[in-house]
Amino acid sequence: MSDFRLCRTSFFLIIFLLSFYSHSSDTSELIQNPHARSLISLNGKWNRIIDPYENGYYNHRYEAHTNGYFKNRKPQTPSELVEYNFETAKKIDVPGDWNSQEEQLFLYEGTLWYHKRFELNKQQNKRYLLHFGAANYHAIVYVNGEKVGEHEGGFTPFQFDITHVAKNRENFVVVKVDNSRKRDQIPTVNTDWWNYGGLTRSVSVIEVPESYLSDYHLALNSTTGAIEGSLKLSNAQKDGKVSLIIPELHIEKTIKVKANGETKFSINAKPELWRPENPKRYKVILSFNGETIEDAIGFRTIEVKGTEILLNGEPVFLRGISIHEESPFGAGRAWTEADGRTLLTWAKELGCNFVRLAHYPHNEMMLKIADEMGFMVWSEIPVYWTVMFEDQAVYAKAQQQLTEMISRDKNRASIVMWSVANETPVSDARISFLSRLIEKARELDSNRLITAAMDTQSNAKNGKLIDDPLAKYVDIIGINSYCGWYSDAPANCANLRWNSHYEKPIIMSEMGAGALAGLHGEKNEIWTEEYQSDVYKHNIEMMKNMPTLRGVTPWILKDFRSPRRPLDDIQDFWNRKGLLSETGQRKQAWYVLRDFYRSIAQQDQR
Ligand code: GCB
């Protein structure tokens, strides 16, 4: 066969091979701190085939090739699928959403195939894990023609052990990524952000020893004051010894770890505590079976006492801002370190000590930068609006995303609370879904608080009453309320009074208004910067009268892409509630919030 013909038929061969082997390995337990391990990065250019009808996956009878279609049949002849050819297919950047890379993909929702060749110097006694930072939304992964697994959920990592299929030297990986919206997904079909599809975060092959330290967790226990931790080995036939060194604390320990299950330990230490004004992190070095992993971990405690939030035992006010994971200077998913630093530097300039990373887990780099720069973080899963609360399979998806988020980020001191939901409608099914999720979060992580953003309050005399039954289950009540935008005139907001059935701290997790940067007019003219800043002024007055308010994360740092915002010449598919334009230009309201935060910070210092 000529080289040319080989190329022409390569996609068919791949698809055939993909479909012939239906074996898929289980997702192995997520590896802690993957980027601190020995790895081969698969970031860069990948071939891509746009496949809106999923022709590479289903035959003309709409039978999935992988569902045994080939079982009792001879392989098809290559000519049947000659229209597919990865070798000549256009290239696309990974990481990167596809929507912002090609005009024809701007609004695309569906399947796109990715392909990349990679070389491996395969060693004996090593395992190879193919690791994805995230793929939105559903990914099916094949290595050298064999299906190695699939994953659902667009914002959390996943990995497959590919040792059994990986070859020494030449290998190839094919990934089918599908971002079709479906009712039974988390999130569901209706969101106010762009459904960026694709391999949106780093892809790598991680090389670990045959038996390896897959997981570790270190945190300060607020009751005992000790550093408590846990360690987990994967693929271990026998117990092992892990070395733990924290040089600055003069800690050098050898910890015996059981072959199966988690081993817990406790160390008496007096670390300097992590806090926004002094985000102290300690170098932590863990070694096992020839592998050494370094991390930078901060130690702090976070609690709720009555209506106070206590960081390291001291009451704090959370001066925050909501942020979407979108590129600082335009559209597209943010993923680089520079993106994260820019967004968080802007939050610093605004006077923040807190950020709400909405509405899904952001990339792990963002959390490491938050640790380093000293931000407390609200991190959440996309249980957003009207998901199918009655459906157990949907619950399982939410729990999986929660588990993956906590598993990935549990060592980040910056994260002080997990949020389980945003603006979900009141019902019994919702309460049983979310209370179960909250229970799960507490079981997985006793080191953080639980919250949810709620938008259902009753009207009461002079204002609002917080009576959402979900408030009973959380540690901190998040309130989304758009006085002056979705309800009421801005001038009426200052006098609005808030009452609550619950003696718990409140965070105003959303408030705001839209404005087109550079559009000026009277303060009663909608879409002007003056209107937006007037809404901020009146809402700030309102918040000063909320005695149990312990934090604010207005909506939102910068304008972001949303298909729900089609107003020509104003929105053009941008949600305009940013304090900054889509390219980072400050609007008037930015200064209003900054001044408010300055005055709070000054009071806190007194
Ligand atoms: C909300 C949602 C947020 C929207 C925002 C808006 O309540 O939580 O995702 O983008 O309002 O702009 O309407």
Side-chain angles (χ1 to χ4, degrees):
M1 207 186 274
S2 73
D3 281 1
F4 176 65
R5 184 144 172 77
L6 241 178
C7 280
R8 275 168 57 83
T9 57
S10 56
F11 182 76
F12 159 69
L13 286 170
I14 289 163
I15 294 301
F16 163 68
L17 287 168
L18 304 181
S19 41
F20 197 68
Y21 299 95
S22 58
H23 160 84
S24 84
S25 66
D26 289 340
T27 315
S28 34
E29 183 153 11
L30 272 179
I31 192 163
Q32 190 56 229
N33 207 359
H35 299 113
R37 318 260 180 161
S38 161
L39 60 78
I40 297 162
S41 171
L42 299 193
N43 291 352
K45 298 281 180 198
W46 289 51
N47 302 97
R48 64 101 186 102
I49 291 175
I50 307 168
D51 191 9
Y53 278 44
E54 302 188 293
N55 202 31
Y57 194 72
Y58 294 108
N59 67 13
H60 71 303
R61 304 263 175 246
Y62 203 60
E63 294 157 328
H65 296 315
T66 45
N67 280 349
Y69 179 61
F70 286 97
K71 249 192 206 145
N72 304 311
R73 299 181 78 230
K74 286 219 155 134
Q76 289 169 293
T77 60
S79 58
E80 282 182 59
L81 281 170
V82 286
E83 51 271 83
Y84 290 84
N85 185 348
F86 273 122
E87 306 298 335
T88 57
K90 290 212 171 89
K91 305 251 188 203
I92 198 163
D93 283 324
V94 172
D97 65 87
W98 64 58
N99 312 74
S100 32
Q101 294 193 53
E102 282 181 46
E103 213 179 323
Q104 63 171 332
L105 294 175
F106 181 57
L107 283 160
Y108 183 65
E109 297 184 311
T111 279
L112 197 123
W113 293 89
Y114 287 84
H115 165 267
K116 192 171 179 75
R117 295 189 183 282
F118 63 97
E119 287 217 356
L120 216 58
N121 180 9
K122 199 175 174 193
Q123 308 284 312
Q124 292 289 323
N125 306 322
K126 296 276 186 202
R127 302 207 73 80
Y128 295 88
L129 310 174
L130 179 57
H131 183 276
F132 295 81
N136 191 37
Y137 170 83
H138 183 244
I140 308 181
V141 182
Y142 309 86
V143 172
N144 296 333
E146 182 158 348
K147 179 176 172 186
V148 292
E150 49 188 284
H151 180 264
E152 184 171 345
F155 302 97
T156 44
F158 55 98
Q159 75 193 32
F160 305 109
D161 188 329
I162 59 164
T163 316
H164 61 299
V165 285
K167 298 189 190 122
N168 191 25
R169 306 199 68 77
E170 282 280 300
N171 294 274
F172 68 92
V173 51
V174 169
V175 189
K176 175 188 185 295
V177 183
D178 179 7
N179 73 334
S180 318
R181 283 170 298 124
K182 295 190 183 117
R183 191 68 190 88
D184 65 349
Q185 293 175 343
I186 300 287
T188 182
V189 284
N190 201 14
T191 65
D192 188 23
W193 69 84
W194 209 262
N195 181 23
Y196 291 119
L199 298 176
T200 50
R201 295 182 190 156
S202 294
V203 183
S204 30
V205 179
I206 299 163
E207 186 190 74
V208 287
E210 181 66 32
S211 149
Y212 60 100
L213 178 66
S214 50
D215 202 9
Y216 60 86
H217 180 212
L218 275 85
L220 200 65
N221 181 314
S222 57
T223 326
T224 63
I227 293 177
E228 297 202 333
S230 64
L231 301 168
K232 220 178 218 175
L233 304 181
S234 264
N235 213 32
Q237 307 301 320
K238 51 180 180 21
D239 296 354
K241 282 183 184 159
V242 173
S243 139
L244 164 71
I245 303 178
I246 310 180
E248 255 192 282
L249 291 174
H250 308 292
I251 292 172
E252 280 194 31
K253 291 246 175 232
T254 303
I255 301 162
K256 200 166 166 207
V257 182
K258 284 180 273 174
N260 300 308
E262 205 177 50
T263 298
K264 297 200 179 249
F265 62 89
S266 173
I267 302 171
N268 283 325
K270 281 255 164 297
E272 201 179 314
L273 299 182
W274 181 98
R275 58 198 172 94
E277 303 75 27
N278 178 29
K280 173 71 192 163
R281 296 175 304 154
Y282 287 90
K283 188 198 268 191
V284 173
I285 307 161
L286 289 146
S287 313
F288 176 66
N289 208 7
E291 189 187 30
T292 296
I293 307 144
E294 261 191 44
D295 208 337
I297 297 183
F299 299 101
R300 54 104 191 100
T301 62
I302 189 85
E303 299 153 279
V304 156
K305 206 174 206 175
T307 60
E308 293 290 352
I309 300 172
L310 307 180
L311 176 71
N312 302 325
E314 299 285 328
V316 277
F317 188 88
L318 310 174
R319 309 185 306 270
I321 190 70
S322 298
I323 303 180
H324 260 298
E325 189 190 46
E326 211 169 61
S327 166
F329 300 110
R333 274 269 163 269
W335 67 272
T336 65
E337 183 173 348
D339 289 340
R341 282 195 190 279
T342 304
L343 293 167
L344 290 178
T345 300
W346 286 342
K348 259 271 131 94
E349 287 165 358
L350 193 57
C352 296
N353 61 5
F354 180 53
V355 286
R356 175 182 179 198
L357 300 183
H359 275 303
Y360 36 76
H362 287 211
N363 66 80
E364 66 180 295
M365 177 68 73
M366 188 71 168
L367 281 316
K368 287 189 174 178
I369 302 170
D371 265 15
E372 179 201 315
M373 288 178 71
F375 284 98
M376 291 175 277
V377 172
W378 159 319
S379 179
E380 69 191 79
I381 49 169
V383 176
Y384 182 92
W385 291 353
T386 312
V387 304
M388 294 171 69
F389 289 113
E390 320 72 32
D391 190 324
Q392 289 310 306
V394 174
Y395 174 80
K397 293 175 192 183
Q399 182 172 302
Q400 183 191 327
Q401 292 185 31
L402 177 87
T403 307
E404 289 168 349
M405 170 177 75
I406 294 178
S407 168
R408 191 193 71 177
D409 292 334
K410 57 181 176 273
N411 287 310
R412 302 286 67 91
S414 52
I415 302 177
V416 289
M417 64 190 82
W418 304 119
S419 172
V420 294
N422 181 77
E423 299 189 349
T424 47
V426 174
S427 78
D428 290 347
R430 170 247 207 179
I431 287 291
S432 73
F433 185 111
L434 293 180
S435 62
R436 207 172 141 198
L437 212 50
I438 288 170
E439 209 173 299
K440 185 70 191 174
R442 292 211 167 100
E443 173 197 317
L444 292 170
D445 185 359
S446 54
N447 253 296
R448 294 177 176 85
L449 305 169
I450 305 294
T451 189
M454 300 169 221
D455 68 338
T456 38
Q457 306 96 26
S458 299
N459 289 321
K461 204 168 153 237
N462 295 336
K464 300 273 180 192
L465 174 67
I466 299 169
D467 55 355
D468 186 328
L470 181 60
K472 180 175 155 209
Y473 299 88
V474 296
D475 300 308
I476 299 174
I477 302 171
I479 292 296
N480 291 0
S481 171
Y482 284 85
C483 187
W485 187 253
Y486 292 126
S487 68
D488 239 320
N492 295 339
C493 303
N495 292 327
L496 207 69
R497 294 289 174 272
W498 286 81
N499 289 298
S500 176
H501 273 336
Y502 306 91
E503 270 289 294
K504 294 189 180 191
I506 294 172
I507 290 178
M508 187 59 73
S509 40
E510 285 181 35
M511 48 111 342
L516 181 64
L519 186 68
H520 293 285
E522 296 300 319
K523 64 179 183 193
N524 59 0
E525 275 178 76
I526 192 168
W527 297 117
T528 61
E529 289 195 26
E530 286 73 10
Y531 186 96
Q532 186 191 36
S533 71
D534 196 45
V535 168
Y536 267 75
K537 283 177 195 155
H538 286 98
N539 273 267
I540 287 170
E541 288 313 308
M542 174 193 85
M543 290 190 286
K544 287 181 183 163
N545 285 317
M546 295 174 72
T548 58
L549 187 77
R550 297 292 171 258
V552 194
T553 50
W555 196 252
I556 185 169
L557 181 66
K558 69 174 283 275
D559 292 354
F560 62 96
R561 278 252 178 250
S562 169
R564 290 170 53 87
R565 311 290 170 175
L567 202 64
D568 282 337
D569 301 326
I570 297 281
Q571 295 178 313
D572 300 318
F573 285 138
W574 293 96
N575 182 314
R576 292 290 182 204
K577 295 193 189 70
L579 293 173
L580 302 168
S581 73
E582 72 270 27
T583 53
Q585 187 188 332
R586 291 178 185 176
K587 304 180 193 173
Q588 284 185 6
W590 192 92
Y591 297 95
V592 176
L593 187 65
R594 185 203 56 185
D595 291 349
F596 177 50
Y597 284 167
R598 276 188 180 165
S599 68
I600 295 177
Q602 275 161 11
Q603 277 166 28
D604 281 356
Q605 274 161 15
R606 264 185 245 139

